[in-house]
Amino acid sequence: MFDRDKWIEVLEALTANTFRTILTAFGVFWGIFILVILLAAGKGLENGVKKGFDGIATNTMFMWSQTTSKPFKGLPKVRRYDFKNGDITALKEKFPDLLYVSPRNQLGGNDSESSNVVRGTKTGSYTIFGDYPELVKQEQMEIVNGRFINYQDIKLKRKVAIIGSGVITDLYGRTEDVIGTYVKVSGINFLVVGIYKSKSRGGGNAEREQKKIFIPFTTFQQAYNYGDVVGWMALTANDNASITTLKPQILEFMKSRHSINPTDDRAIGNFDLYAEFSKIQGLFLILKFIAYFVGTLVLLSGVIGISNIMLIVVKERTKEIGIRRALGATPGAIRSQILLESIFLTIVAGMFGIAMATGVVAIINVILDSMPSEGMMFANPSVDLTVVFVALLILVGSGLLAGYIPAQTAINVKPVDALRAE
């Protein structure tokens, strides 16, 4: 029940020395301000990094063949082998938890001479990929015009191509229509049916990501005499399964299919995107813990300040407390009064800190919205309701902590001794 007299007494006690009260409250204000800002900054960094994974299936691993390093079943120690088309079907049948199994082949790239592409009198060097339709769901790619590869292209081995904006800049005029034109890739003409835009930063080379050409996997094998060779694969697991958990079984299965020593860990190269993504998520959990730890320590210094001031207040009000005890006030009533003053001061100061931090975060978001977001590793710093709720719990707990010792000191005052105090 609301006790008006008690609240009037609280306000009178806190405003008796306004300057001292403000300085005392500033410690709590600053502590909760730092806590919220640190959490918002951590969230902004997390959003920026995760933005780099937009459009890519993170529950994915990549796998490619390498040279064996151990002999097996009479085969030599050093042996080169290739994945085959049959491996794709076998993987899908063996592992029903695999959502996508995308075989890939490639011409050109960073470590070899890129393929020559010609259109009219213009030429360029680009990386050419032979792919399946699922790839568009596994990579950070957006089809901005036309379409991507479909299964009719795969079945009929159509000579169609999807090109990037970087290819268009090099080979086309500004006003030319791209869809429906032809480009000659290593001497073979391909009809352009789609234009893509990559969202990937490409390890710091975003421009390179826009200079790729995608053609049907089956067409690639036939046009460039690859037979049934598969250069590498992108494997994505269902949402209810982890590709990291499946990986050892997949590698063991592939080793058995290609007569590779089960202990030869160098024969099959792989990159587990999900494991790397999980490491990043773990990093942000650590950052969040550090933010709470540092913010709580700063807040604790403010709480200690309030506790010290409340001790001084109790000392100043010794005679008042003695009179109240002599008139019949219970220890519980004295304790609740001191705790109420402490909690009230802490919460008011803390709420000002939360409001100020929220305002700063809002201003930062406005500034970020006005800046180009391409390649930015910091995006949309925010404070959700959970953080505010936790902050409020910390504030209440801090108020109780700050007032407990002064309250105990107050109830230990004997009425006779208090009345004698000067």
Side-chain angles (χ1 to χ4, degrees):
M1 184 175 180
F2 181 76
D3 190 335
R4 183 172 179 272
D5 292 336
K6 179 178 287 189
W7 281 103
I8 290 175
E9 187 176 346
V10 168
L11 293 175
E12 287 177 349
L14 296 178
T15 55
N17 192 327
T18 305
F19 185 68
R20 183 177 69 185
T21 301
I22 292 174
L23 288 180
T24 303
F26 182 78
V28 173
F29 164 86
W30 188 245
I32 205 71
F33 177 85
I34 292 297
L35 174 62
V36 174
I37 289 295
L38 286 175
L39 290 172
K43 188 65 175 179
L45 182 61
E46 181 179 358
N47 291 338
V49 172
K50 286 185 176 180
K51 188 178 179 181
F53 289 90
D54 281 352
I56 189 171
T58 52
N59 199 11
T60 297
M61 67 169 284
F62 303 93
M63 180 173 63
W64 57 93
S65 61
Q66 298 184 150
T67 303
T68 61
S69 61
K70 295 182 179 181
F72 188 63
K73 293 182 178 180
L75 296 170
K77 175 181 178 181
V78 179
R79 174 172 58 92
R80 183 67 192 173
Y81 71 99
D82 293 303
F83 293 149
K84 301 293 183 179
N85 289 345
D87 293 329
I88 309 304
T89 304
L91 282 169
K92 290 179 179 178
E93 292 176 352
K94 179 70 175 179
F95 301 98
D97 284 331
L98 288 178
L99 181 62
Y100 305 125
V101 180
S102 300
R104 307 194 69 186
N105 277 323
Q106 174 182 340
L107 285 176
N110 299 328
D111 300 325
S112 60
E113 183 180 351
S114 296
S115 303
N116 289 325
V117 178
V118 180
R119 181 179 179 269
T121 59
K122 297 180 179 180
T123 62
S125 296
Y126 311 101
T127 307
I128 315 303
F129 292 97
D131 282 303
Y132 265 72
E134 291 85 357
L135 184 78
V136 74
K137 300 176 183 178
Q138 294 174 286
E139 283 215 350
Q140 295 171 291
M141 182 191 307
E142 177 185 359
I143 304 300
V144 296
N145 197 1
R147 64 175 178 84
F148 194 64
I149 298 161
N150 60 38
Y151 270 96
Q152 281 297 104
D153 299 329
I154 296 293
K155 181 180 179 180
L156 301 177
K157 301 180 181 178
R158 291 171 175 165
K159 294 183 176 64
V160 295
I162 293 83
I163 65 177
S165 55
V167 179
I168 295 172
T169 301
D170 293 343
L171 302 183
Y172 290 82
R174 292 184 178 179
T175 59
E176 283 189 89
D177 291 331
V178 177
I179 303 298
T181 61
Y182 285 85
V183 292
K184 185 174 288 188
V185 180
S186 294
I188 299 174
N189 284 313
F190 286 83
L191 174 68
V192 177
V193 297
I195 301 169
Y196 81 89
K197 182 179 180 181
S198 177
K199 301 176 185 177
S200 172
R201 299 187 179 105
N205 193 344
E207 182 181 356
R208 182 186 61 204
E209 294 299 310
Q210 312 301 335
K211 294 187 174 183
K212 296 177 180 178
I213 297 178
F214 298 91
I215 64 176
F217 181 81
T218 51
T219 307
F220 186 105
Q221 285 186 323
Q222 184 180 64
Y224 301 112
N225 299 317
Y226 267 56
D228 67 343
V229 170
V230 175
W232 47 299
M233 306 180 198
L235 297 87
T236 300
N238 291 310
D239 291 339
N240 59 355
S242 166
I243 194 67
T244 303
T245 303
L246 291 173
K247 182 173 69 173
Q249 304 169 46
I250 292 172
L251 296 179
E252 181 183 355
F253 177 68
M254 293 300 290
K255 287 177 183 179
S256 67
R257 283 185 60 83
H258 292 276
S259 300
I260 298 171
N261 192 314
T263 63
D264 189 351
D265 296 328
R266 296 176 58 184
I268 301 177
N270 66 87
F271 176 77
D272 189 342
L273 182 61
Y274 184 74
E276 298 302 314
F277 185 72
S278 298
K279 289 179 184 178
I280 292 175
Q281 289 182 309
L283 172 63
F284 287 120
L285 286 176
I286 294 173
L287 289 176
K288 184 176 289 187
F289 170 78
I290 292 174
Y292 273 113
F293 182 73
V294 173
T296 302
L297 286 181
V298 176
L299 182 61
L300 183 61
S301 66
V303 170
I304 292 172
I306 288 182
S307 185
N308 287 334
I309 293 300
M310 292 303 298
L311 282 171
I312 295 173
V313 169
V314 169
K315 184 68 176 176
E316 291 175 346
R317 297 165 61 186
T318 300
K319 183 172 288 188
E320 173 198 332
I321 293 171
I323 293 172
R324 293 180 62 183
R325 291 290 305 276
L327 293 175
T330 63
I334 300 296
R335 182 192 291 113
S336 65
Q337 182 69 25
I338 301 301
L339 286 176
L340 184 60
E341 292 175 12
S342 174
I343 292 173
F344 180 74
L345 179 59
T346 304
I347 290 180
V348 169
M351 291 306 295
F352 269 107
I354 291 174
M356 184 64 71
T358 304
V360 170
V361 171
I363 292 172
I364 293 174
N365 273 300
V366 171
I367 295 172
L368 290 175
D369 288 342
S370 65
M371 298 170 62
S373 60
E374 191 71 27
M376 186 174 290
M377 298 294 290
F378 191 81
N380 189 29
S382 59
V383 181
D384 56 30
L385 290 176
T386 303
V387 172
V388 175
F389 180 72
V390 170
L392 288 174
L393 288 180
I394 292 174
L395 287 175
V396 173
S398 300
L400 288 171
L401 179 64
Y404 179 75
I405 296 177
Q408 289 299 112
T409 302
I411 65 174
N412 289 331
V413 174
K414 295 181 179 180
V416 174
D417 295 336
L419 292 173
R420 290 174 180 171
E422 295 294 332

